[in-house]
Amino acid sequence: MHVSSLSEVMTMRLQMTSRINAGGDGPVFLMFHGYGNDESEMVRILDAVYAPARFHTDLSVSSAPVGSSDFADSDYSVNHAESAHGETGPSYISFRATYPRPYMGGNYWYPDGCGVEERQRECAAVGEAVTSLLDASAFANRKKILIGFSQGGYLSYRLVKAYPTVFDSAILLSPSFMGEEQAALDSLTRFFLAYGAYDRTIPAPDQQTAHQVLERAGLLTYREYPDMAHAICDEEIADIRDFLRAI
């Protein structure tokens, strides 16, 4: 695992943690963490999905920053997980959000509580940078799967909306769809959408909006977990695994 910076694309510079099996034909995961966290958050989730038998760490995800060392030195690292495509670990790029959070640590994609137009504008800038990166030959003819938690889930949805033919699937974990009530999505991207029944971070109307927008688009797998708040649970990891197997 390594951390690097993308070249300047448009006006945005992104940092990322990546693992790319250059000669492989398996999917490439594009991953976006939640508010106040960093790129290692999503590696933890993907690690759990691909190494279920050996991964016994607490999978709770919140708005607290998580250090990348959680995975870099772990015997359960995604680097050792055997994928369904016969490769050593899945290929992924896990991006760090564009704004550092002062004093508290971690990062965010757009300011907490900002307006809908600002959220969409910030997501559009990230989308331009990410899709420019995907023009590289290493990603040609490979499935591209988005995974995002909370802010990262909304960002993943906005990428599909802006680039409806680029991404094969999108896994949206506890996103807010505030301001998307009238949105129409014309894409063949398959969606997995999930919330905890005790999630008080994302208002229920915003959860309902996400469900309705994606259900209208079709190709939606929806899950709600009765004992979960704004987090990730073992049952959700298993459902993500099943969703990926089905596609």
Side-chain angles (χ1 to χ4, degrees):
M1 187 182 305
H2 65 278
V3 178
S4 61
S5 294
L6 301 181
S7 299
E8 195 80 28
V9 181
M10 304 299 289
T11 60
M12 172 145 316
R13 189 174 182 85
L14 296 176
Q15 288 188 305
M16 63 181 181
T17 293
S18 64
R19 175 186 175 85
I20 302 297
N21 299 308
D25 61 356
V28 177
F29 292 89
L30 294 310
M31 308 195 296
F32 306 92
H33 64 78
Y35 181 87
N37 223 304
D38 64 28
E39 63 276 18
S40 66
E41 173 183 60
M42 304 312 297
V43 178
R44 170 163 46 206
I45 293 171
L46 192 64
D47 194 7
V49 170
Y50 271 77
R54 294 178 296 165
F55 195 92
H56 304 292
T57 303
D58 180 9
L59 296 173
S60 295
V61 177
S62 66
S63 294
V66 178
S68 60
S69 60
D70 291 350
F71 286 94
D73 301 321
S74 173
D75 289 339
Y76 308 117
S77 170
V78 72
N79 295 335
H80 301 294
E82 184 177 354
S83 80
H85 295 267
E87 301 168 357
T88 304
S91 292
Y92 64 83
I93 305 174
S94 187
F95 295 93
R96 180 183 301 176
T98 43
Y99 297 102
R101 189 168 63 153
Y103 310 115
M104 299 297 289
N107 307 270
Y108 58 90
W109 299 103
Y110 45 83
D112 191 26
C114 71
V116 174
E117 290 186 3
E118 184 174 358
R119 295 173 72 186
Q120 293 179 352
R121 184 169 59 250
E122 295 291 350
C123 291
V126 174
E128 290 180 7
V130 170
T131 53
S132 294
L133 171 69
L134 294 180
D135 287 338
S137 59
F139 306 114
N141 303 315
R142 298 180 69 165
K143 287 185 177 180
K144 300 168 184 65
I145 301 175
L146 299 162
I147 306 182
F149 176 75
S150 197
Q151 280 197 352
Y154 177 73
L155 171 58
S156 297
Y157 154 73
R158 292 300 304 183
L159 263 62
V160 175
K161 187 164 178 61
Y163 304 94
T165 63
V166 171
F167 305 102
D168 297 272
S169 305
I171 298 170
L172 313 185
L173 309 176
S174 307
S176 171
F177 268 44
M178 181 184 66
E180 299 290 334
E181 291 82 1
Q182 305 304 317
L185 186 64
D186 183 13
S187 174
L188 294 179
T189 299
R190 294 178 177 271
F191 284 92
F192 178 95
L193 175 67
Y195 292 100
Y198 285 97
D199 191 338
R200 301 295 180 261
T201 301
I202 308 300
D206 294 343
Q207 297 183 31
Q208 293 166 4
T209 295
H211 193 176
Q212 292 166 1
V213 168
L214 299 181
E215 194 167 53
R216 287 197 299 265
L219 303 176
L220 171 64
T221 297
Y222 177 76
R223 297 287 184 270
E224 182 175 284
Y225 302 98
D227 299 319
M228 191 176 81
H230 194 61
I232 301 292
C233 67
D234 291 341
E235 185 181 357
E236 187 174 20
I237 292 295
D239 286 342
I240 294 169
R241 188 179 308 125
D242 290 343
F243 173 77
L244 291 173
R245 286 172 177 159
I247 61 175

